[in-house]
Amino acid sequence: LKFVFRFVFAMGNKVFGGARAVVVTDAIALHYTTSDLRKDVSAILGVWHTCGLPLKLNPAEFQELFGLVVDAEIHFETFDTNSDGCVDVFEVLMVYIALAKGDFEEKLRCAVSVFDFGGTNDLGYDEVALLLAATTRGVHKVLSAAVTDVDDRDIQNFAASLFDRYRLLPSEGARVTLDQFTVWARG
């Protein structure tokens, strides 16, 4: 799972530690992999913050936040896998962050900023688990052929491995810093 996480965040650059490039031909996936982290994703995050940080989006809100001009309905349906007329904004944001072109560490900073609900530049266990779940589930929806779906238990174990690395106890409210998260994600 850690490999998948690192792979996904490196994929927007089409590079993973010297590994061969992943060829993305699906039109939906191409949209995300051709986005630029600093230009496109930062703008989306700014709009999301000014909209009051909604957690779910209907089709109109989705279109407004992400500003899709072409195939907005298809993009929405890609994320609305349970057909309830709403999408999880975290999954879409994490797909943009993970697959966009940009520096690996900058992507991690962006991802942490989305889940740093207290604005403290660190994450608790639940925030880490949400980040990991949104990333793996969102990217699976866009790249199901390249990334397998991950179950909740794997997500929980993966989040626990971060806290275990630093001998932190989530049950005592421990939090990991951005630097700790970055070292762990790189490791």
Side-chain angles (χ1 to χ4, degrees):
L1 185 58
K2 192 169 190 178
F3 171 79
V4 169
F5 181 73
R6 286 188 309 218
F7 173 77
V8 164
F9 271 80
M11 194 173 157
N13 302 330
K14 307 276 190 302
V15 181
F16 179 63
R20 294 165 52 116
V22 175
V23 178
V24 178
T25 57
D26 179 81
I28 299 298
L30 277 172
H31 169 79
Y32 299 99
T33 60
T34 58
S35 296
D36 181 84
L37 187 67
R38 286 187 178 181
K39 180 180 153 217
D40 304 318
V41 179
S42 292
I44 290 169
L45 289 172
V47 171
W48 180 58
H49 280 92
T50 61
C51 290
L53 309 172
L55 303 179
K56 293 275 189 186
L57 301 173
N58 64 35
E61 294 165 330
F62 181 86
Q63 169 66 29
E64 182 180 338
L65 177 60
F66 298 108
L68 296 169
V69 179
V70 178
D71 297 328
E73 191 172 302
I74 296 169
H75 282 268
F76 183 85
E77 290 170 1
T78 298
F79 289 98
D80 184 19
T81 54
N82 65 356
S83 301
D84 69 351
C86 291
V87 297
D88 181 330
V89 73
F90 290 137
E91 290 178 356
V92 184
L93 289 173
M94 295 313 296
V95 167
Y96 267 107
I97 292 167
L99 299 183
K101 294 175 188 164
D103 177 69
F104 183 80
E105 290 185 15
E106 194 172 344
K107 289 180 181 193
L108 294 177
R109 278 192 298 277
C110 273
V112 167
S113 76
V114 170
F115 294 91
D116 179 15
F117 303 123
T120 56
N121 211 29
D122 57 22
L123 298 174
Y125 176 83
D126 291 336
E127 294 163 332
V128 169
L130 280 170
L131 185 156
L132 298 173
T135 302
T136 55
R137 290 185 182 129
V139 172
H140 173 71
K141 290 176 181 182
V142 173
L143 297 171
S144 58
V147 179
T148 59
D149 199 12
V150 180
D151 68 28
D152 289 339
R153 188 175 38 189
D154 288 337
I155 294 290
Q156 299 299 319
N157 290 337
F158 194 36
S161 75
L162 168 57
F163 286 80
D164 290 347
R165 177 184 180 123
Y166 296 104
R167 295 185 170 93
L168 299 171
L169 298 174
S171 61
E172 294 180 1
R175 302 181 69 77
V176 293
T177 66
L178 174 59
D179 289 339
Q180 289 171 321
F181 183 76
T182 301
V183 168
W184 171 80
R186 281 219 175 265

